[in-house]
Amino acid sequence: MNLTQYLRISFILSLFLTSLISVAQVPLKSLKFDKELIDFDTIAFDSDPILLEYIFTNTSDVNFEIKNVMASCGCTNTEWTKVPVKPGEKGYVKATFNPKGIAGDVEKSLDIYGNFSNATTKILTFKGHITEPEELKTQEYFKGQYGYLLTNKNILGLGRVFDSRIYTEKVFFYNDYNIPVHIKSLLKAPEYVNVEFSKKELQPGDTSWATITMDMSQVGKYGLINDDITIETTDAVIPIKGIKVAFDLQKDFSKLKKRQLKKAPVIMANQQHFDLGTIKSGTIKQFSVEIKNNGLDTLRIYNVETVCGCTTIGFSSAKIAPGESLRATLKFDSLFMKGQSNKQVVLYTNDPKNHRFTFLVSANIIEN
């Protein structure tokens, strides 16, 4: 072998190795976190934002790169190590939690997206208790929006919650009128919601509250839930009050024993990320996807969640026996789209490690 041939082979080999490194993936267990759950204990209502920091070590033999970190509620901002974490080195994920306007028990989560080999995300959690306010300042109620009977919040954003638990929230009312205002009745509420009022007759300047209890075992669907509670009052301007309930419901696998986890279903797919490159607006793409159960129990697909009707998935059965598979059709319609698009289709399953199994369709869409 002459020098020219040697250099050429070395160059090709280096390109090959670089390619391997660029697509290398890290097993979930190879990220060793100092802690995966942070308990901030008890803080006062309307405390200052709390900084939470998770430190991890990459114990694999390839680089780990965090692509994104998503919080389960808008009350949390995130930041993370922006450069690849080399084998043996440490990285971090930070979250700033703003407890303003929140009371009671709190449990939130962070989803880490990265080059994992056996999962879509890594989930970190934090929890604590925020003391109930004895009373709220008048200026903290929504003036002008709720007539004379004001409220301190009109949305209960719970973030990630679990189907095994009961959650309780309080909504405070304030009579900003010069005559009494009555809470007449609960007009509408989902079946999993119970509402109790501390008192229904509010004198001028008086405060009351509604204790809203939500039994998540009664919801009957996983994923993003948006429901409404409506209350009838004698407010002369806006008698009907609305409170929106929003959360991300997850199945609770925390009580499963090791033997049950070993026998659990395992969802797999021949492809999860579909990068279409540059396409013209109005282009329709369809893909045949094989979904397989590599576990020892029947795989169940509870429901499908999509961000829009532009990306859908269809399959013949919601159950897959151990060792069996089915064909699904993933469809993407780029009509009326422009620019970079990233659309997800999420399957909610009984796989403890992949309860949320995600397909991602990416495209750069240009005008037709």
Side-chain angles (χ1 to χ4, degrees):
M1 180 185 298
N2 59 36
L3 180 60
T4 302
Q5 290 175 319
Y6 175 79
L7 291 175
R8 183 177 298 168
I9 292 173
S10 298
F11 177 70
I12 293 172
L13 183 60
S14 67
L15 288 178
F16 175 70
L17 290 175
T18 301
S19 175
L20 284 179
I21 292 172
S22 66
V23 299
Q25 294 181 311
V26 176
L28 203 61
K29 65 180 181 180
S30 294
L31 288 190
K32 302 296 184 183
F33 281 83
D34 291 355
K35 56 181 69 176
E36 298 185 13
L37 167 65
I38 296 178
D39 189 343
F40 59 77
D41 200 15
T42 299
I43 60 174
F45 184 80
D46 274 1
S47 293
D48 292 332
I50 301 171
L51 177 62
L52 309 162
E53 185 172 16
Y54 305 82
I55 305 295
F56 67 89
T57 303
N58 178 10
T59 65
S60 74
D61 55 1
V62 298
N63 291 349
F64 174 69
E65 185 175 358
I66 299 177
K67 304 294 185 180
N68 195 12
V69 177
M70 298 183 66
S72 62
C73 71
C75 55
T76 306
N77 294 321
T78 59
E79 61 175 291
W80 59 90
T81 304
K82 293 298 195 297
V83 298
V85 180
K86 297 178 181 179
E89 293 188 351
K90 294 183 180 293
Y92 68 85
V93 173
K94 295 180 181 180
T96 303
F97 171 61
N98 187 353
K100 184 174 179 58
I102 302 175
D105 292 327
V106 171
E107 186 169 336
K108 307 293 182 183
S109 62
L110 307 171
D111 283 301
I112 303 174
Y113 291 81
N115 55 319
F116 295 112
S117 62
N118 58 341
T120 306
T121 64
K122 169 70 177 178
I123 298 177
L124 305 174
T125 56
F126 61 90
K127 67 177 183 178
H129 180 79
I130 305 174
T131 57
E132 302 281 356
E134 295 183 3
E135 61 178 334
L136 294 179
K137 299 175 183 178
T138 303
Q139 62 267 26
E140 293 178 347
Y141 291 83
F142 293 112
K143 287 185 176 292
Q145 185 179 5
Y146 272 72
Y148 294 112
L149 185 61
L150 310 181
T151 182
N152 71 318
K153 64 177 75 172
N154 61 353
I155 298 177
L156 301 180
L158 306 182
R160 186 185 298 273
V161 299
F162 295 94
D163 64 352
S164 62
R165 294 186 54 183
I166 295 175
Y167 295 81
T168 301
E169 295 278 336
K170 283 188 178 181
V171 175
F172 288 80
F173 296 94
Y174 173 77
N175 183 4
D176 198 34
Y177 202 27
N178 57 7
I179 61 173
V181 176
H182 293 77
I183 298 174
K184 295 177 64 178
S185 64
L186 178 66
L187 288 181
K188 175 187 174 185
E191 291 186 0
Y192 60 87
V193 170
N194 180 66
V195 182
E196 294 184 358
F197 300 96
S198 62
K199 56 183 175 183
K200 292 188 174 182
E201 180 177 343
L202 284 79
Q203 299 297 323
D206 207 355
T207 298
S208 174
W209 63 84
T211 301
I212 301 175
T213 305
M214 293 156 282
D215 183 351
M216 295 305 171
S217 67
Q218 303 299 313
V219 176
K221 180 183 177 183
Y222 295 105
L224 299 177
I225 306 296
N226 287 281
D227 282 319
D228 293 292
I229 299 171
T230 53
I231 300 167
E232 183 181 12
T233 74
T234 60
D235 188 325
V237 179
I238 305 177
I240 306 300
K241 311 298 179 181
I243 301 170
K244 183 169 287 295
V245 181
F247 52 86
D248 182 10
L249 181 61
Q250 306 288 292
K251 187 173 181 61
D252 186 2
F253 298 100
S254 63
K255 296 181 181 180
L256 292 182
K257 298 179 180 179
K258 289 184 178 181
R259 181 172 297 179
Q260 292 174 303
L261 290 172
K262 287 183 178 180
K263 293 183 178 181
V266 177
I267 187 172
M268 300 290 290
N270 62 330
Q271 189 174 352
Q272 285 182 255
H273 185 196
F274 301 84
D275 190 348
L276 307 183
T278 299
I279 61 174
K280 292 183 178 181
S281 179
T283 300
I284 298 176
K285 294 284 187 178
Q286 286 194 170
F287 309 94
S288 179
V289 181
E290 182 183 21
I291 303 174
K292 187 175 181 179
N293 178 8
N294 281 352
L296 301 177
D297 195 5
T298 300
L299 176 69
R300 302 177 188 276
I301 302 174
Y302 296 120
N303 61 283
V304 178
E305 180 181 274
T306 60
V307 294
C308 66
C310 59
T311 311
T312 59
I313 191 169
F315 39 83
S316 57
S317 175
K319 297 181 182 180
I320 307 176
E324 299 294 323
S325 62
L326 60 76
R327 283 284 172 181
T329 301
L330 184 67
K331 182 179 179 181
F332 175 71
D333 188 346
S334 63
L335 187 64
F336 303 127
M337 293 186 187
K338 183 180 178 182
Q340 184 63 38
S341 173
N342 295 285
K343 302 298 183 183
Q344 287 187 346
V345 175
V346 181
L347 307 185
Y348 286 88
T349 79
N350 62 331
D351 178 350
K353 294 184 178 180
N354 278 295
H355 178 45
R356 299 177 75 254
F357 192 75
T358 304
F359 294 98
L360 177 65
V361 181
S362 303
N364 178 36
I365 304 171
I366 60 175
E367 292 183 0
N368 193 346

